[in-house]
Amino acid sequence: MTGAHQVHNTPIVQRFGISSFASPQPSEKESNQSGDDSGTSFGDNGTSINVDSTESSSDAAALMEYADLSIDDLVKLLAEKDNLLKLALKKLEEMREIYKSREAEWQELMERTRREAEKEKEYAIQDFAKSILDVADNLERACSVIEDRLKEIDGCKDTAGVVPLMQTLLEGVKMIDWDLEEVLSNWRIFKFDPLGEQFDPYKHHAVFEVYDDSKPPGTVAVVLKPGYEIRDRVLRPAEVGVVAAASNSNKADQALDSNKADQASGA
C-alpha cells in the first residue's frame, strides 16, 4: 500500500514525535526536572513522546492519543485513513458528476422553455387569424359572383352601362382581396388550394365524395374552401370533395340499379 510504504520510508512516526526505541526510566534528578520546559513525556509502554512547549494543548492531546500504539498499529491506522480519504474523494467526484448532470438538465429545460415561449409568441395571433378568414372567403365569393354575372350580360345590348359599372366593382373587390392576402402574408399566413392533390387528412377536410373514373381514388376533385397555413402549422384545413374508390362507386351504381328495378316492379 502507498500509505504503508510512505510510513516505512519517511519519518511519519517522527511527525507524531514518537521514537522507535524504548527509553530507560528517568532518574530521580530527571524526574525532578520533568516540571521544566524540556517538553518530554512518556507513554505507558515506555515510548518517548517529544512535545515542544510551544505546541498548543490540542496538538499535544492529539499526539497523546497515539502514544499507546505500536508502529504496526500506526501503519494500519494510516492505511485505514488513506482508504477513507480515497473513498471520500471518490464520493466527491461522484457528487461533482451528479451536479454537472443536473446542471446540464437544467440548462436543457431552460432552453426548451425559451423555445416553447418563442413558438407560442409566434402563434399568438392564431385565433385572430381564424376569425378573419371568413372575411377572405366572402371577398372571394363576391369576386366569383360578379365575374359570373359579367359573363351572362351581353355587352352589345348593355344600354344602361351595367357592364362598366360591374367591372369597376369587380376591380375594387379584387383590390381589397389582394390587400387582405398581403396583410395575411406579412403575418406568415398563406392560402393553399389543394385541387388535384392527393387527400391529406392533416391539411384537408373531406366534406363529400365524387365518382370520377378519370382520376385516381383519394384525389381532391372539388375545393369548397381553400386552406390556410400559419408558418408551419395548418391554420384551417381546406374543405374538399374527394374522388371515391372504385368499390364505393360500384356499390353506388348497384344501389341505383336496385332502386330503378324496385320502381319498375312497383309500377
Side-chain angles (χ1 to χ4, degrees):
M1 294 180 58
T2 304
H5 181 70
Q6 291 178 349
V7 168
H8 289 296
N9 292 337
T10 59
I12 295 179
V13 181
Q14 295 177 8
R15 266 193 325 164
F16 298 97
I18 303 174
S19 61
S20 60
F21 58 89
S23 300
Q25 293 295 328
S27 62
E28 182 179 355
K29 182 179 179 180
E30 291 173 342
S31 299
N32 294 332
Q33 293 177 351
S34 61
D36 299 337
D37 58 349
S38 60
T40 303
S41 60
F42 299 92
D44 296 341
N45 59 358
T47 303
S48 63
I49 301 176
N50 298 323
V51 182
D52 293 337
S53 59
T54 58
E55 290 182 341
S56 64
S57 60
S58 60
D59 294 337
L63 292 175
M64 291 299 295
E65 183 180 354
Y66 303 100
D68 296 334
L69 300 179
S70 64
I71 298 301
D72 293 337
D73 292 337
L74 287 174
V75 170
K76 292 180 181 179
L77 180 62
L78 289 175
E80 292 176 358
K81 298 295 184 183
D82 185 61
N83 289 334
L84 290 176
L85 178 60
K86 289 179 180 179
L87 290 175
L89 291 176
K90 183 179 179 181
K91 188 67 175 179
L92 179 62
E93 186 64 25
E94 292 176 356
M95 295 299 294
R96 185 181 290 111
E97 292 298 326
I98 293 175
Y99 171 76
K100 290 181 179 179
S101 176
R102 294 293 186 271
E103 185 179 14
E105 291 177 359
W106 174 254
Q107 293 294 336
E108 183 180 357
L109 177 62
M110 292 290 290
E111 181 64 20
R112 185 168 64 251
T113 303
R114 183 188 63 81
R115 291 195 303 266
E116 291 178 355
E118 289 181 354
K119 184 173 291 186
E120 290 300 326
K121 182 179 179 181
E122 291 177 354
Y123 297 102
I125 64 166
Q126 185 166 339
D127 294 336
F128 163 75
K130 284 183 178 180
S131 62
I132 205 172
L133 295 183
D134 292 335
V135 179
D137 292 337
N138 291 332
L139 285 174
E140 190 171 355
R141 290 193 191 97
C143 293
S144 178
V145 170
I146 295 174
E147 286 178 343
D148 293 340
R149 293 299 302 272
L150 281 173
K151 293 177 182 178
E152 296 175 0
I153 298 176
D154 188 356
C156 298
K157 299 179 180 180
D158 182 20
T159 58
V162 177
V163 173
L165 180 62
M166 294 191 66
Q167 288 178 342
T168 303
L169 177 61
L170 177 61
E171 291 176 359
V173 174
K174 283 185 175 181
M175 288 181 63
I176 296 174
D177 190 30
W178 293 336
D179 290 340
L180 179 60
E181 287 187 4
E182 184 177 0
V183 171
L184 293 176
S185 64
N186 290 335
W187 289 93
R188 303 296 187 270
I189 301 171
F190 304 100
K191 179 172 65 175
F192 63 89
D193 188 350
L195 184 63
E197 297 180 1
Q198 192 67 18
F199 177 75
D200 184 352
Y202 295 102
K203 299 178 65 176
H204 310 147
H205 174 58
V207 180
F208 59 89
E209 290 183 334
V210 296
Y211 303 102
D212 190 347
D213 295 335
S214 63
K215 296 178 182 179
T219 303
V220 176
V222 180
V223 178
L224 298 178
K225 285 185 179 180
Y228 283 87
E229 291 179 327
I230 176 170
R231 296 183 183 271
D232 57 347
R233 291 183 182 178
V234 176
L235 181 60
R236 187 189 71 180
E239 293 186 3
V240 299
V242 184
V243 176
S247 59
N248 294 339
S249 178
N250 294 334
K251 289 180 181 179
D253 293 339
Q254 292 175 2
L256 182 60
D257 294 340
S258 177
N259 291 334
K260 290 181 179 179
D262 292 341
Q263 292 176 2
S265 61

